Amino acid sequence: MFKWWFAIPFWQRVAGGFFLGVLAGWLMGPAAETWFGPLGTVYVNLIKMIAIPLVFFAVISAVGSLHGQKSIAALGGRTFLWFAITAVLAVAVGLAFGWWFKPGLGVDAASLRVAENYQQRDVPGPLQVLLNIVPENPFRALAALGAGKTGDGQNVIIPSNFTILQVIFFAGLVGFALVRLGERTAGLRDLMHQAREMMIQVTRFVLEATPLGTFGLIAALVGTYGFEQLIPLAKFVIALYLACAFHVLVVYPALLLAHGLNPLKFFRGAAPAMQVGFVASSSFAALPLSLSSATHNLGVNKDYASFAVPLGASIKMDGCGAIYPVLAAMFIAQFMGIELSAGQYIIIALASVLGSFGTAGVPGTAVIMATVVVSAAGLPLEAIGILYAIDRVLDMMRTMTNVTGQVLVPVLVAKQTGLLDREVYERASSNVGVDDAVEDSPPR
């Protein structure tokens, strides 16, 4: 039986868990949360268990390994540039679909309800965001994870300090220190590389639970939400899903083709991370799969991917930080009968691009981003509570878009800088290394 199970491609196992979860949630209704919700909770806890140590050891190993081969500053600058380019394109997509669909027109106000658990979020200032990158206590940043759920029932899968950037910052400092000390710490550098390989193997073990976790999470979601809550805002849901789909299936492939890369190969390799991003509604939950997809499936250099992918999981938010805030602002304006000026459209676009970086790692990023954009455009904030009532369903597609971009940008930069193994990319496995142990090159 085990041979038969592992013979099924990983993405098919996850897809099977998804569709069975939808069926179970539909048939059982709210009882699905009681019966199957714990499966999703256990899976989320497993992801919490591995994510921080995986990022910590991977970044330390990556910084030391990249030294002397490629300029870390140049690679980082190129990565940030592509983060910004794709964010601008995502904002353009959001504006286009907002103009086309006009999701706020014709909505019956009497059929809407403001989420009971919605609370207006405080927007951190730029200085606060920058200060939060430096951990007061690195051990707390490494060891503590937020427990419990958000107000709308989502599992919180973020460090207790609200940003994985603190882990990246501290790990980067440790890596630079090991490089600076040279041969005096050669043994410790080797140990960090071995620790990374150990965590990759632990990740393989945990990923085997993904189909079961997918089943539990989706069954609980469908059973709890049903479809009744979506009907009044169906037009907005459709607009968001189609805008994200256009960005993922048209904009991203265009960028891949411009770099001489086959988009179908990319999606085959990135599919596992995209699936988990959709189901778990968390870039942080999908991070281990995003890293494995980028390296094992798509051939991105492991040392570069080890800091580019975690960085993307913190600040690369095309769905939550660009498309959704733009559509939310246009929905509110249309629903309230407010005619937006050309200046307001420009403000909405700029606030979406810049704000997505400024709110990195803040819990409820999408709601924070919507607050930033709606405030900047001078629109009433109270209306955000209407969309928050269906936020969990919206978050699935937003997060899948985020995760796809977080894998895409390292692939593009790796292609530009000679850090992409084209043979691995063309082979495009979709099993993220869960079914085989790939021997890695020794530490350099």
Side-chain angles (χ1 to χ4, degrees), residues 244-426:
C244 289
F246 181 87
H247 191 62
V248 170
L249 299 177
V250 177
V251 176
Y252 287 164
L255 295 175
L256 289 164
L257 288 171
H259 285 77
L261 297 172
N262 185 333
L264 295 178
K265 303 287 187 182
F266 170 80
F267 286 116
R268 177 174 170 80
M274 294 168 65
Q275 287 175 314
V276 172
F278 184 84
V279 170
S281 298
S282 168
S283 296
F284 195 70
L287 177 55
L289 271 160
S290 299
L291 191 54
S292 296
S293 294
T295 56
H296 180 272
N297 294 0
L298 297 171
V300 178
N301 177 276
K302 287 188 176 182
D303 297 323
Y304 167 60
S306 292
F307 73 82
V309 175
L311 183 65
S314 295
I315 66 175
K316 173 67 180 155
M317 307 282 178
D318 283 355
C320 292
I323 294 175
Y324 172 72
V326 168
L327 279 177
M330 296 182 73
F331 167 84
I332 291 171
Q334 294 160 4
F335 176 69
M336 303 293 290
I338 300 172
E339 188 71 30
L340 292 174
S341 65
Q344 284 177 304
Y345 278 119
I346 293 173
I347 289 172
I348 288 172
L350 288 175
S352 297
V353 173
L354 298 177
S356 62
F357 293 100
T359 57
V362 176
T365 300
V367 179
I368 291 288
M369 275 305 308
T371 301
V372 170
V373 173
V374 170
S375 298
L379 299 172
L381 289 175
E382 296 77 12
I384 296 176
I386 297 171
L387 297 177
Y388 192 67
I390 58 167
D391 194 68
R392 180 65 175 87
V393 175
L394 300 175
D395 206 25
M396 297 168 74
M397 191 63 177
R398 291 186 316 223
T399 305
M400 190 189 76
T401 305
N402 295 344
V403 169
T404 308
Q406 291 156 14
V407 178
L408 174 87
V409 168
V411 169
L412 298 181
V413 175
K415 175 63 169 60
Q416 292 177 335
T417 56
L419 294 175
L420 183 72
D421 188 327
R422 194 61 181 266
E423 183 179 344
V424 174
Y425 184 91
E426 293 299 329

Side-chain angles (χ1 to χ4, degrees), residues 115-294:
E116 297 175 359
N117 50 18
Y118 170 71
Q119 294 181 348
Q120 191 169 309
R121 307 295 180 91
D122 293 327
V123 179
L127 182 60
Q128 182 182 348
V129 172
L130 288 174
L131 290 176
N132 196 41
I133 294 175
V134 182
E136 295 179 5
N137 184 339
F139 295 103
R140 179 174 179 268
L142 292 170
L145 280 171
K149 297 183 177 183
T150 60
D152 59 341
Q154 297 184 56
N155 287 292
V156 179
I157 315 174
I158 49 176
S160 62
N161 45 49
F162 305 138
T163 175
I164 200 172
L165 290 175
Q166 292 192 353
V167 177
I168 297 173
F169 179 85
F170 181 64
L173 280 181
V174 173
F176 278 121
L178 294 179
V179 169
R180 188 63 181 267
L181 291 170
E183 290 306 311
R184 285 178 287 176
T185 55
L188 189 53
R189 283 203 307 274
D190 289 346
L191 180 61
M192 291 297 103
H193 182 84
Q194 292 163 12
R196 181 183 73 172
E197 299 310 308
M198 175 195 67
M199 286 309 306
I200 289 174
Q201 184 57 57
V202 171
T203 298
R204 292 189 181 110
F205 296 149
V206 171
L207 293 184
E208 292 294 357
T210 299
L212 195 60
T214 297
F215 171 79
L217 288 168
I218 289 299
L221 173 68
V222 174
T224 301
Y225 262 77
F227 301 100
E228 297 80 7
Q229 295 186 42
L230 303 180
I231 293 175
L233 293 170
K235 197 174 180 182
F236 184 87
V237 175
I238 293 171
L240 177 81
Y241 270 63
L242 288 180
C244 289
F246 181 87
H247 191 62
V248 170
L249 299 177
V250 177
V251 176
Y252 287 164
L255 295 175
L256 289 164
L257 288 171
H259 285 77
L261 297 172
N262 185 333
L264 295 178
K265 303 287 187 182
F266 170 80
F267 286 116
R268 177 174 170 80
M274 294 168 65
Q275 287 175 314
V276 172
F278 184 84
V279 170
S281 298
S282 168
S283 296
F284 195 70
L287 177 55
L289 271 160
S290 299
L291 191 54
S292 296
S293 294

